[in-house]
Amino acid sequence: MTPTSASPRLPAGARARAPQVLSCLETLYPDARTELVFNTPFELLVATVLSAQATDVSVNAATPALFAAYPDAHALSTATAEEIEPYIRSIGLYRGKAKNLAALARLLVERHGGEVPNDFAAVVALPGAGRKTANVVLSNAYGFPAIAVDTHVGRLSRRLGLSVQTNPDKVELDLQKLFPREKWVFLHHALILHGRRVCFARKPNCPGCVMADFCPKVGVEHVAV
């Protein structure tokens, strides 16, 4: 689903840079996909909720035991937040996330028969979920064309001169204007990987970046995020 809020004009040169960015990302990360480990839409939803302000590594370390204890929404809906907490204690903001997971599972059972709905508005309405979570779940579980804007995607979009926005919804809208719909899912995964491996938040590896020739931020001592 496209954000409804309009964004200002795209940065100068954005439309010319977008195909270059996409070409480089396809060369560097041809198999880009989410690094969250999951087997079902339910597991992906839970992992995505847990990943807010946490690393995928920390989430992947915690979820096997959590899913062994609560393999589906019906099982998780019987748990209290206090019973969930020990499984996710190693993840940031675990107390609040435990409360959200308990409430989320109950709503999945009450409203959707325990299944994760293939519906954007229904996922956004779940506790602990939001636009980014819905985009991640629907794109990876159901093939829905979407761009999930996390901190990496937002940072790289601004550095590469694809958007000047700081609001994730407006960054998403700018990227949707610049890239083919069939590339949206790949794009956000590839940008995340590039943000983790090359275009770091504090000290981006500009000399080692294949996009240095056309990146407007190369050579800037302090790169705005």
Side-chain angles (χ1 to χ4, degrees), residues 4-196:
T4 56
S5 55
S7 62
R9 186 179 305 173
L10 292 166
R15 294 193 183 278
R17 276 191 297 275
Q20 295 175 290
V21 170
L22 183 60
S23 177
C24 288
L25 292 175
E26 289 180 322
T27 299
L28 289 170
Y29 314 108
D31 301 317
R33 60 176 63 87
T34 181
E35 294 189 314
L36 292 171
V37 177
F38 70 97
N39 294 303
T40 65
F42 168 75
E43 290 186 357
L44 177 59
L45 173 61
V46 170
T48 306
V49 170
L50 291 175
S51 71
Q53 299 183 52
T55 66
D56 289 355
V57 172
S58 68
V59 173
N60 291 338
T63 50
L66 176 66
F67 295 148
Y70 306 108
D72 53 35
H74 289 282
L76 190 60
S77 69
T78 67
T80 65
E82 291 72 23
E83 290 171 329
I84 296 171
E85 284 182 9
Y87 295 96
I88 63 172
R89 196 179 299 274
S90 60
I91 299 174
L93 307 176
Y94 73 93
R95 287 192 176 90
K97 291 176 181 179
K99 292 179 182 178
N100 284 334
L101 290 183
L104 174 153
R106 288 194 294 270
L107 284 183
L108 285 179
V109 172
E110 293 170 5
R111 297 179 180 177
H112 308 289
E115 300 298 321
V116 177
N118 184 6
D119 179 84
F120 185 89
V123 175
V124 170
L126 296 171
R131 184 172 191 88
K132 190 196 82 169
T133 296
N135 280 338
V136 170
V137 172
L138 295 182
S139 63
N140 288 283
Y142 299 122
F144 184 86
I147 301 174
V149 179
D150 69 351
T151 55
H152 296 292
V153 175
R155 180 176 73 251
L156 268 67
S157 296
R158 290 184 288 275
R159 287 180 176 175
L160 289 167
L162 303 173
S163 178
V164 297
Q165 303 300 322
T166 56
N167 181 296
D169 291 359
K170 293 183 178 180
V171 173
E172 180 184 348
L173 184 60
D174 284 347
L175 295 179
Q176 287 177 347
K177 294 176 182 176
L178 293 170
F179 295 92
R181 187 179 180 88
E182 65 272 15
K183 296 295 184 180
W184 287 357
V185 178
F186 165 81
L187 176 71
H188 79 247
H189 290 316
L191 285 173
I192 289 170
L193 291 178
H194 200 64
R196 289 174 176 169

Side-chain angles (χ1 to χ4, degrees), residues 205-218:
N205 182 18
C206 297
C209 181
V210 298
M211 291 185 265
D213 288 344
F214 59 83
C215 177
K217 291 298 184 182
V218 171

